[in-house]
Each structure stands twice: as structure tokens, then as C-alpha cells.
Amino acid sequence: EAVPSGYTQKKDSDPQTVTNVRSGNVDSSVVFYKVWDESGNTAYRPKQNTFAEKYLTLKRSVNGATEPVTGVEPMISVDGTNQNRWVIDYGTTLPKYDANGKAYTYTLTESTVENYTTNNATVGVDETITNKLNVGKLKITKELSGISESETTDEFVVEIKRGNEVVQTVTLKKGAMDATLTLPIGTYTV
């Protein structure tokens, strides 16, 4: 018997039973979207080329059973001119059906990204995960003791560190008594 297009033949141990089972790959690319809500502060965003390996897990489910999909890496690209929106494309090589001909449902799960809050850590195909940078304000005030501002030409250079890493440097020049910085929420040393 000829096997119809889009099916494979499955034979039971009983040679009289032959079943045609749906088979093949997905019809179109398995695509998800990623939006970064950072108000222009991209310094804390993970690198695009290592993002999938560190934070993403592709899963497939059928009949209530879910399993991770291994051995496939997505192509991550910027969506047109919007640098804050990424396209995460797993292509068309993923199977559409399980061994019994039941259609898979694909989802993408993102683990916690440091300094960000995620609106939805698991999404379906063509859906978007949005990460918002958690920020706060840090105010640095220069106060001169025993000397007036007009008596000095000195500037103060202040390093803001998170652990051992300098995350920002602020220069307070003559006439500038303070600076307010927007930084991800965390512990800093000035």
C-alpha cells in the first residue's frame, strides 16, 4: 500500500496491522520574540550570541507530557531597526509530530536574567517575553569641608563598583555638587 504524503508507515508485531502515522517537520519557522525594556540603558543586557545557551530552553509537549528539546540552537537576530526586539528562530527542522502522529506544541522558557524582571517566563510560538531592567536612583553629593567651592579648581572622580567591577565613573567638577545616576537595583560601593 502506498503511504500518503506527510505520513510514515508503522508496523505492529502483528504483520497484518499496518498504520499510517503523520510525520514530517513543522510547516513554518518556530519563532519567539524577546523585548528589552531598558529606557536606553543596554549595559546590563546579556550578549546576543550567548543568550540562548545561558537562558533559553525550548520545550515540546503532546498529550500533557512536556520535554526539553535538545540539539538545536536558535538564530537570534535584531528585529529590523528595533534594537530592543530580538527574533528567536528555531527554523523548520523540528518535528511536527511524535511517533504516534500527535502534533507537538512548542514553548520557550527563559530562566531569570540578572537585573531584569520578566513578564512571562514561558511563551508559545509567535509570542513575546519582555524583560524590564530593574533600576533605582543613586545620588552622590560632594561636600567640601574647610574650603569653599570658589577656592578650588579640583575635580572629584568617583567610581561606582558592583563587587570588583567598575560599572560607572562620575566626575564632579567645580560647581557640580551632586550627580544622580540610574543603575540596576543592587549593592554598590562608591
Side-chain angles (χ1 to χ4, degrees):
E1 175 183 333
V3 179
S5 177
Y7 287 79
T8 56
Q9 205 169 68
K10 181 178 172 186
K11 295 182 180 184
D12 278 341
S13 57
D14 176 1
Q16 301 299 316
T17 305
V18 176
T19 307
N20 290 334
V21 178
R22 287 183 176 174
S23 64
N25 291 341
V26 292
D27 297 327
S28 58
S29 284
V30 175
V31 175
F32 305 90
Y33 298 94
K34 174 90 192 134
V35 171
W36 298 99
D37 180 359
E38 305 159 309
S39 301
N41 188 358
T42 62
Y44 299 93
R45 182 186 298 181
K47 293 190 183 335
Q48 186 175 322
N49 63 343
T50 58
F51 186 76
E53 181 183 333
K54 288 183 177 181
Y55 299 103
L56 300 179
T57 304
L58 180 65
K59 297 179 181 180
R60 65 184 179 201
S61 60
V62 66
N63 291 337
T66 301
E67 63 186 9
V69 178
T70 59
V72 61
E73 287 296 319
M75 172 74 72
I76 299 178
S77 60
V78 171
D79 189 7
T81 59
N82 185 349
Q83 296 294 313
N84 295 322
R85 187 169 191 231
W86 290 356
V87 178
I88 302 167
D89 188 347
Y90 282 90
T92 59
T93 60
L94 298 170
K96 186 173 183 175
Y97 304 101
D98 72 357
N100 296 314
K102 303 289 184 192
Y104 284 119
T105 300
Y106 286 93
T107 57
L108 186 66
T109 300
E110 180 183 279
S111 59
T112 302
V113 179
E114 185 180 13
N115 301 316
Y116 292 85
T117 301
T118 302
N119 72 325
N120 190 356
T122 300
V123 295
V125 174
D126 292 326
E127 293 183 341
T128 301
I129 296 174
T130 300
N131 287 51
K132 182 168 180 57
L133 183 62
N134 299 320
V135 295
K137 301 282 185 191
L138 173 65
K139 185 173 183 176
I140 299 170
T141 302
K142 172 178 75 173
E143 184 178 310
L144 297 173
S145 180
I147 187 171
S148 71
E149 182 79 15
S150 61
E151 295 177 280
T152 183
T153 59
D154 294 336
E155 62 184 28
F156 291 81
V157 178
V158 180
E159 290 183 337
I160 314 306
K161 291 184 177 183
R162 191 168 191 177
N164 291 327
E165 179 185 358
V166 176
V167 295
Q168 198 159 349
T169 302
V170 176
T171 302
L172 296 173
K173 297 181 179 182
K174 184 175 183 175
M177 297 305 286
D178 59 40
T180 302
L181 310 173
T182 301
L183 298 167
I185 294 172
T187 302
Y188 295 90
T189 305
V190 179

